[in-house]
Amino acid sequence: MSLPELARLHTDLDADDVAWLQLLQADWQIIADLSFADLVLWLPDRGGTGFWAGGQMRPTTGPTAYVDDIVGSFAPTGRRPFVDQAYTEGRLVREGDPEWRDDVPVRNETIPVRRAGRVIAVVGRHTNLLGVRTPSRLELSYLQTAADLTQMIAAGHFPSVGQRSDHADSPRVGDGFVRVDEAGVVVYASPNALSAFRRLGLSGDLTGVVLSDLTRDLVPPRQRPDEETLSAVLGGRAHRDTELATSTVALIVRSIPLRPHGDRIGALVLVRDVSDLRRRDRELVTKDATIREIHHRVKNNLQTVAALLRLQARRMDSADAKSALEEAVRRVGSIALVHETLSQAVEENVDFDEIADRLGAMVTDVGSSSDGVGVRVRREGSFGVISSESATALAMVLTELVQNAVEHGKPSVTGIVVRAERDAERLHVQVEDDGAGLPEAFALDESTSLGLTIVGTLVESELGGRLRLGPGADGGTKAEFDVELV
Ligand SMILES: Nc1ncnc2c1ncn2[C@@H]1O[C@H](COP(=O)(O)OP(=O)(O)O)[C@@H](O)[C@H]1O
Ligand SMILES: [Mg+2]
């Protein structure tokens, strides 16, 4: 069950309280990692009889103390006295002796979560002591920073409002950890953070260096954030992330100012090398651009073919030959239209409504040599997004059907409706005119003319449907088929 649901069902927490706790949860992986400990969020029951576990986070830097999921479980008052105590007394509580849980010694601490002066929840911190070694510099720095952050939670200074990081690539503690003092000077840098800055071009040590000055030296102005962001994030003055890059290295930097007792004493700065990720992004972008460029060229080539056919049509004396070539021009043109749309698309899918509308206009265009002048084509419903493979076939089919309505609906045809109805698996398409109607004794199966043969073949082999042709509602003709959406 989610935190907001649990809160609504069992507690008196209001929407602002829940938002605060969610903001806390957005960043508490950092605290779990710095503490080498599991965190559990306890929500006070509405009736005051105990606490509900509203969230849980395991450390990625050490062993867990909680193998089981406990979210949604209830701890009546008295079962976890440290939670009760932190809540009622509003202070951090730490027990003296470890608790033994399944042969694992666990140290329990509890932190009141304060918002707007009130304690709204309690965070339990549970350290599996089997994972604790003699502390190194790294571990001491982690633990000190975790202590600062938990002080801030208890004092209502953490999380900071409006600074949630939803970055999927947001750095974690293990990616690179730097602690700076209130002047922005590095006090401690983890080996991973040091290597990240070494890759950026640092030759000496990171300790003792002003992080924002160093960044200005190493990163060309074009590839670093504006001066304000840079000094705010790398100086540890703002709770925010930013990205830096050279031609070969890209880093995401995330800073959390520390003010355990109110005044800022420095900041925690996390660094992650995302060079590989960014390189892959760039490759994808170029690949997309290449595909779009190819569609563009195919479109140009098809338009050239259409122009050649049109030239040839003009030189024909026979009316039959002329109209045959003009029909070919339209067929080629309808495919060109799909490629043109694909050349502007972000993905290999197209919003087909625009194509359908332009096809209708193309067939009835006053300037074209077709005889659709005065006939209106109207679309009802939406085709939605169609894969590029189906789009070309569908465009050709529609061109033929609209063309037939114009051509064979004469002399009475005035309007053509292209109807699209879509559900999850299929697209149902109708082309209906108010024209002369099908000739008597017309049989689709026996028709050997090119247009309907093309339509029938494409509908069956490319679109997974079957063409039907019959009288329309207003006496004209209705063609319909389904398209299988994959
Ligand atoms: N909308 C329509 N209204 C009336 N007749 C149609 C319609 N669509 C198709 N037909 C009939 O089906 C025949 C076959 O069409 P088609 O295969 O496209 O060949 P063509 O258009 O070259 O005649 C047409 O000649 C016409 O008699
Ligand atoms: Mg035809």
Side-chain angles (χ1 to χ4, degrees):
M1 202 183 285
S2 72
L3 172 69
E5 272 179 281
L6 280 166
R8 188 170 43 77
L9 278 177
H10 301 300
T11 77
D12 277 332
L13 296 172
D14 64 24
D16 289 342
D17 292 332
V18 172
W20 184 265
L21 296 175
Q22 284 179 308
L23 211 52
L24 172 66
Q25 283 192 318
D27 272 333
W28 72 341
Q29 177 78 64
I30 293 175
I31 302 173
D33 287 348
L34 290 172
S35 312
F36 309 98
D38 289 64
L39 302 180
V40 178
L41 181 65
W42 294 101
L43 313 175
D45 178 65
R46 180 174 291 131
T49 56
F51 292 85
W52 295 88
Q56 175 177 15
M57 179 55 80
R58 296 194 172 88
T60 62
T61 49
T64 183
Y66 274 107
V67 182
D68 299 324
D69 283 343
I70 61 167
V71 173
S73 65
F74 181 67
T77 308
R79 170 148 351 136
R80 293 174 186 271
F82 294 97
V83 176
D84 305 339
Q85 215 180 330
Y87 186 71
T88 48
E89 296 175 18
R91 62 179 183 87
L92 292 136
V93 181
R94 184 175 183 162
E95 82 188 333
D97 295 326
E99 171 195 351
W100 285 82
R101 205 181 290 155
D102 302 333
D103 291 336
V104 174
V106 174
R107 186 173 58 231
N108 295 321
E109 291 154 281
T110 46
I111 303 143
V113 180
R114 200 179 303 269
R115 185 185 85 80
R118 284 179 309 120
V119 177
I120 59 169
V122 172
V123 171
R125 182 160 69 157
H126 313 275
T127 315
N128 177 340
L129 293 175
L130 288 184
V132 173
R133 290 160 289 163
T134 322
S136 63
R137 285 256 304 147
L138 176 122
E139 276 147 358
L140 288 174
S141 299
Y142 276 19
L143 290 171
Q144 180 54 50
T145 307
D148 292 338
L149 286 169
T150 52
Q151 288 282 353
M152 287 167 68
I153 292 174
H157 297 318
F158 189 89
S160 26
V161 183
Q163 298 291 0
R164 174 171 189 158
S165 168
D166 287 321
H167 253 191
D169 334 315
S170 190
R172 293 197 174 183
V173 171
D175 292 325
F177 166 94
V178 180
R179 172 98 191 213
V180 297
D181 67 13
E182 71 274 21
V185 178
V186 175
V187 185
Y188 176 78
S190 75
N192 281 350
L194 182 60
S195 349
F197 276 93
R198 285 263 162 81
R199 280 194 290 275
L200 208 59
L202 169 76
S203 47
D205 198 1
L206 207 47
T207 314
V209 168
V210 177
L211 204 55
S212 52
D213 288 348
L214 172 74
T215 306
R216 269 184 219 102
D217 288 346
L218 295 179
V219 182
R222 228 168 21 83
Q223 284 175 294
R224 62 190 194 220
D226 59 273
E227 192 50 37
E228 193 198 323
T229 308
L230 189 141
S231 49
V233 176
L234 287 126
R237 291 193 283 105
H239 187 149
R240 220 151 92 191
D241 27 358
T242 190
E243 192 159 336
L244 319 165
T246 63
S247 51
T248 49
V249 180
L251 297 185
I252 294 183
V253 183
R254 173 160 173 67
S255 118
I256 300 177
L258 299 171
R259 42 195 194 115
H261 306 290
D263 291 334
R264 192 169 58 82
I265 60 160
L268 147 73
V269 180
L270 301 180
V271 195
R272 177 170 174 204
D273 186 332
V274 288
S275 313
D276 288 344
L277 284 179
R278 292 297 171 264
R279 197 172 309 122
R280 229 171 302 143
D281 289 350
R282 269 200 305 277
E283 280 166 9
L284 280 179
V285 170
T286 17
K287 200 164 137 235
D288 281 357
T290 310
I291 291 171
R292 282 202 292 276
E293 176 60 22
I294 289 171
H295 282 301
H296 182 75
R297 290 186 191 178
V298 171
K299 181 213 80 175
N300 283 348
N301 289 347
L302 289 172
Q303 283 179 339
T304 308
V305 172
L308 287 171
L309 291 172
R310 203 175 294 125
L311 275 179
Q312 187 132 41
R314 283 200 202 118
R315 288 167 183 240
M316 286 291 172
D317 293 326
S318 137
D320 271 2
K322 235 182 174 55
S323 75
L325 284 174
E326 275 160 9
E327 208 153 83
V329 169
R330 265 189 310 274
R331 285 178 185 136
V332 173
S334 65
I335 304 175
L337 201 60
V338 175
H339 283 284
E340 181 178 0
T341 313
L342 283 168
S343 75
Q344 292 150 3
V346 186
E347 290 162 54
E348 279 290 274
N349 293 321
V350 287
D351 185 349
F352 199 80
D353 288 349
E354 194 198 320
I355 296 184
D357 295 346
R358 289 180 61 185
L359 286 174
M362 183 173 84
V363 175
T364 55
D365 184 10
V366 187
S368 87
S369 43
S370 90
D371 33 19
V373 182
V375 180
R376 310 191 123 264
V377 182
R378 184 160 55 84
R379 172 168 55 83
E380 279 179 11
S382 177
F383 286 87
V385 173
I386 308 265
S387 75
S388 60
E389 298 107 77
S390 307
T392 315
L394 187 56
M396 287 192 73
V397 167
L398 281 183
T399 309
E400 292 302 324
L401 293 176
V402 174
Q403 177 61 31
N404 276 353
V406 166
E407 199 175 340
H408 305 299
K410 278 191 300 193
S412 55
V413 61
T414 60
I416 301 167
V417 181
V418 175
R419 221 171 267 124
E421 229 174 87
R422 189 169 173 152
D423 64 33
E425 289 124 43
R426 328 207 102 230
L427 173 70
H428 184 67
V429 182
Q430 296 183 345
V431 177
E432 186 170 349
D433 64 64
D434 58 358
L438 290 166
E440 257 173 74
F442 174 86
L444 184 57
D445 314 338
E446 288 154 27
S447 170
T448 53
S449 51
L450 185 57
L452 288 181
T453 308
I454 293 179
V455 173
T457 309
L458 288 178
V459 167
E460 268 173 52
S461 64
E462 304 283 316
L463 302 175
R466 249 193 98 72
L467 178 70
R468 277 159 293 158
L469 216 58
D474 302 327
T477 304
K478 180 161 89 174
E480 58 186 325
F481 59 91
D482 281 342
V483 178
E484 228 171 73
L485 300 168
V486 275

